[in-house]
Amino acid sequence: MGLLMDKSALAAFLQAEFQQVADDFTVEEVREMGILVRLNVDDRHLRPGGTISGPSMFALADVSIYLAVLAMIGPKALAVTTNISMDFMRKPAAATDLLCDCRLLKLGRSLAVGDCLIRSEGMEAPVARASMTYAIPPE
Amino acid sequence: MGLLMDKSALAAFLQAEFQQVADDFTVEEVREMGILVRLNVDDRHLRPGGTISGPSMFALADVSIYLAVLAMIGPKALAVTTNISMDFMRKPAAATDLLCDCRLLKLGRSLAVGDCLIRSEGMEAPVARASMTYAIPPE
Amino acid sequence: MGLLMDKSALAAFLQAEFQQVADDFTVEEVREMGILVRLNVDDRHLRPGGTISGPSMFALADVSIYLAVLAMIGPKALAVTTNISMDFMRKPAAATDLLCDCRLLKLGRSLAVGDCLIRSEGMEAPVARASMTYAIPPE
Amino acid sequence: MGLLMDKSALAAFLQAEFQQVADDFTVEEVREMGILVRLNVDDRHLRPGGTISGPSMFALADVSIYLAVLAMIGPKALAVTTNISMDFMRKPAAATDLLCDCRLLKLGRSLAVGDCLIRSEGMEAPVARASMTYAIPPE
């Protein structure tokens, strides 16, 4: 199919449309049907004890699959999350960025499905996994 | 079984242990195996267009089931979210608090399971549903 | 909205379209946006030790939400399961039918979402919960 | 960690403990923290039109992760499914076996988490994905 948006186009889209959270995320790699996104961990993502909050990991998974979809279909469409399932498996490393490796498993006309593994940078064992469905409205 | 923490005890626990987010939430009602929690909607919960962000709804579901567990087992235990599944079904009403009505379906020694419906205040049709599992570590 | 199919219409539909499994299920009650369905437990649903198999509970949840959708939209449409999330919480009672109490939370033009609680007949505590999404193809 | 059960040990275990369904499945490959399992598709797995039923795919995912856990911890333990989330993404090919490629993401003392992709034999695009949690009781 080919990519319609590259790393810099996705970053510019985030800054333009989601200014509030754009600095939280860095697109590390984008490929056909997949993406790697970094959560730039900051105090606002932490819980007491230094662990990264569940909502921050949710946001990372959500934005990653969203950007993976946009990379394939372009910025014109408004995809809406309809379902997410997440397993939290290990405590993230303290004060360490998270990396979210995401793949699209289906990119249909009206539904996209993807999953991702979230790891603390430098660690092999995943912290969390997520699968998500996006509804893609007709143009 | 009986409640071990009431509304004010839960609110004090949130302020002491989760100061960063405590002002986001108000415990409206607590009962055996259930709770009603309000998300005090503010600019930081919004996405462009005024809709409430997915991570904010995740946080509301997560804190609600967590507090419902604590109300039953007391503040001494550290419950950890291990799984969440959410369906996002309707757009929340603009600039309106969310109410999360949560029930515990299982409260075992090591696992608790609950689900909840999230509604915009004053609306009957739910905005989202969530089910969650918490691991309760041995004392 | 009103019901387009009642108990006997749903039972006849099951016999006509899903003859292979129709005898497994009895529609006990049908109401707007909800249904109660019985799994007529038989040897083929059991695992060693007499417990009811996971796939049998999956089938019960799946058929229940499917029939709840058909009761509202009529037999003409072909709904397809796109997502299911289930929690298995307790061991079912031995040699006892299961009852699945299901409610539709959303019935849109293209997506329906419902959840259900499965109990052993005569027991209050639920054995399992499920939430499901169905895609409703355009006519 | 090393494998405690190989293909033939897993097959023998299925025949001894789950005789009712053992012929449905063939263990194709087993590796550390992963397995490939075939559903030997037969009339009893089909729905009208020749498509493979949802419960059959659920059973395939469930048995695959179960066997992947047993391969690592041995036949002595009784793992119980506590959660499953599945996305059904494409119609399976007619009259074609399914292959379920499963990996364990976590294998803790009390909880195991895995996910899998289900494909029609000979097709690249996945038919379904599943993630599952198993509770491993203390010995």
Side-chain angles (χ1 to χ4, degrees):
Chain A
M1 301 173 74
L3 287 173
L4 297 186
M5 298 177 79
D6 62 10
K7 272 181 15 177
S8 60
L10 292 171
F13 177 86
L14 266 189
Q15 285 291 349
E17 303 290 332
F18 295 92
Q19 194 185 339
Q20 222 174 352
V21 298
D23 293 339
D24 287 0
F25 306 109
T26 304
V27 179
E28 296 282 321
E29 296 172 21
V30 57
R31 58 187 187 277
E32 279 198 37
M33 302 289 277
I35 201 167
L36 183 70
V37 179
R38 174 186 298 269
L39 177 68
N40 305 303
V41 170
D42 192 271
D43 279 356
R44 67 185 170 282
H45 305 118
L46 303 183
R47 283 279 186 269
T51 195
I52 297 169
S53 75
S56 297
M57 288 192 263
F58 174 97
L60 174 60
D62 195 23
V63 82
S64 297
I65 302 188
Y66 180 63
L67 292 177
V69 171
L70 292 194
M72 297 299 293
I73 67 174
K76 60 187 178 305
L78 181 67
V80 180
T81 314
T82 58
N83 174 264
I84 183 166
S85 169
M86 286 190 84
D87 292 289
F88 300 94
M89 298 183 286
R90 293 174 184 86
K91 197 174 161 158
T96 302
D97 284 355
L98 292 180
L99 291 170
C100 180
D101 196 352
C102 163
R103 59 182 176 178
L104 296 183
L105 299 169
K106 175 179 176 162
L107 182 56
R109 271 169 311 168
S110 60
L111 285 181
V113 179
D115 66 5
C116 55
L117 288 180
I118 296 176
R119 295 181 173 90
S120 292
E121 188 169 26
M123 313 279 281
E124 184 55 31
V127 164
R129 61 148 296 282
S131 41
M132 287 185 161
T133 302
Y134 280 73
I136 304 171
E139 293 192 60
Chain B
M1 301 172 74
L3 288 173
L4 296 186
M5 298 178 78
D6 62 9
K7 271 180 18 176
S8 59
L10 291 171
F13 177 86
L14 265 189
Q15 285 291 349
E17 302 290 332
F18 294 92
Q19 195 185 337
Q20 221 174 352
V21 297
D23 293 340
D24 287 0
F25 305 110
T26 304
V27 179
E28 295 282 320
E29 297 172 20
V30 57
R31 56 187 189 278
E32 278 199 38
M33 302 289 276
I35 202 167
L36 183 71
V37 179
R38 174 187 298 269
L39 177 68
N40 304 304
V41 170
D42 192 271
D43 279 355
R44 68 185 170 282
H45 305 118
L46 302 184
R47 283 280 186 269
T51 195
I52 297 170
S53 75
S56 298
M57 288 193 264
F58 175 98
L60 174 60
D62 195 23
V63 82
S64 296
I65 302 189
Y66 180 63
L67 293 177
V69 171
L70 292 194
M72 297 299 293
I73 67 173
K76 60 186 178 304
L78 181 66
V80 179
T81 314
T82 58
N83 174 264
I84 182 166
S85 169
M86 287 190 83
D87 292 289
F88 299 94
M89 299 183 285
R90 294 174 183 86
K91 199 174 162 159
T96 303
D97 284 356
L98 292 179
L99 291 170
C100 179
D101 195 351
C102 163
R103 59 184 176 176
L104 296 183
L105 299 170
K106 174 180 177 161
L107 181 56
R109 272 168 311 168
S110 60
L111 285 180
V113 180
D115 66 5
C116 54
L117 288 180
I118 296 177
R119 295 180 172 90
S120 291
E121 188 169 26
M123 313 279 281
E124 184 55 32
V127 163
R129 62 149 295 283
S131 40
M132 287 185 161
T133 301
Y134 280 73
I136 304 171
E139 294 191 58
Chain C
M1 301 172 74
L3 288 173
L4 297 187
M5 297 177 80
D6 61 10
K7 271 180 15 176
S8 59
L10 292 171
F13 177 87
L14 266 189
Q15 286 291 350
E17 302 289 333
F18 295 93
Q19 195 185 337
Q20 220 175 354
V21 298
D23 293 338
D24 287 0
F25 306 110
T26 304
V27 179
E28 296 282 320
E29 296 172 20
V30 56
R31 56 187 189 278
E32 278 199 37
M33 302 290 275
I35 201 166
L36 183 70
V37 179
R38 174 187 299 267
L39 177 68
N40 304 304
V41 171
D42 192 271
D43 280 355
R44 67 185 171 282
H45 305 118
L46 301 184
R47 284 278 186 269
T51 194
I52 298 169
S53 74
S56 298
M57 289 193 263
F58 174 97
L60 174 60
D62 196 22
V63 81
S64 297
I65 303 189
Y66 180 63
L67 293 177
V69 171
L70 292 194
M72 297 299 292
I73 67 174
K76 60 187 177 304
L78 180 68
V80 179
T81 314
T82 58
N83 174 265
I84 182 166
S85 169
M86 286 191 84
D87 292 289
F88 299 94
M89 299 183 286
R90 293 174 184 86
K91 199 175 161 158
T96 304
D97 284 355
L98 292 180
L99 291 170
C100 179
D101 196 352
C102 163
R103 59 182 176 178
L104 296 183
L105 299 170
K106 174 180 176 161
L107 183 55
R109 272 168 311 166
S110 60
L111 285 180
V113 180
D115 67 5
C116 55
L117 288 180
I118 295 176
R119 295 180 172 89
S120 291
E121 188 170 25
M123 313 279 281
E124 184 55 31
V127 163
R129 61 149 295 282
S131 40
M132 287 185 160
T133 302
Y134 281 74
I136 304 171
E139 293 191 61
Chain D
M1 301 171 74
L3 288 174
L4 297 186
M5 297 177 79
D6 61 9
K7 271 180 16 176
S8 59
L10 292 171
F13 177 87
L14 266 189
Q15 286 290 351
E17 302 290 332
F18 295 93
Q19 195 185 338
Q20 220 175 354
V21 298
D23 293 339
D24 288 359
F25 306 110
T26 304
V27 179
E28 296 282 321
E29 297 172 20
V30 57
R31 57 188 187 277
E32 278 199 37
M33 303 290 274
I35 201 167
L36 183 70
V37 179
R38 175 186 298 268
L39 177 67
N40 305 305
V41 170
D42 191 271
D43 280 356
R44 67 184 171 282
H45 305 118
L46 302 183
R47 284 279 188 269
T51 195
I52 297 169
S53 76
S56 297
M57 288 193 264
F58 174 97
L60 175 59
D62 195 22
V63 83
S64 297
I65 303 189
Y66 180 63
L67 293 177
V69 171
L70 291 194
M72 298 299 291
I73 67 174
K76 60 187 178 303
L78 180 68
V80 180
T81 314
T82 58
N83 174 264
I84 183 166
S85 169
M86 286 190 84
D87 292 289
F88 299 95
M89 299 183 285
R90 293 174 184 86
K91 199 175 161 157
T96 303
D97 284 356
L98 292 180
L99 291 170
C100 179
D101 195 351
C102 162
R103 59 183 175 178
L104 295 183
L105 299 169
K106 175 180 176 161
L107 181 57
R109 273 169 309 169
S110 60
L111 285 180
V113 180
D115 66 6
C116 55
L117 288 181
I118 296 176
R119 295 179 172 91
S120 292
E121 189 170 24
M123 312 280 281
E124 184 55 32
V127 163
R129 60 149 296 283
S131 41
M132 288 186 161
T133 301
Y134 280 73
I136 303 171
E139 294 191 59

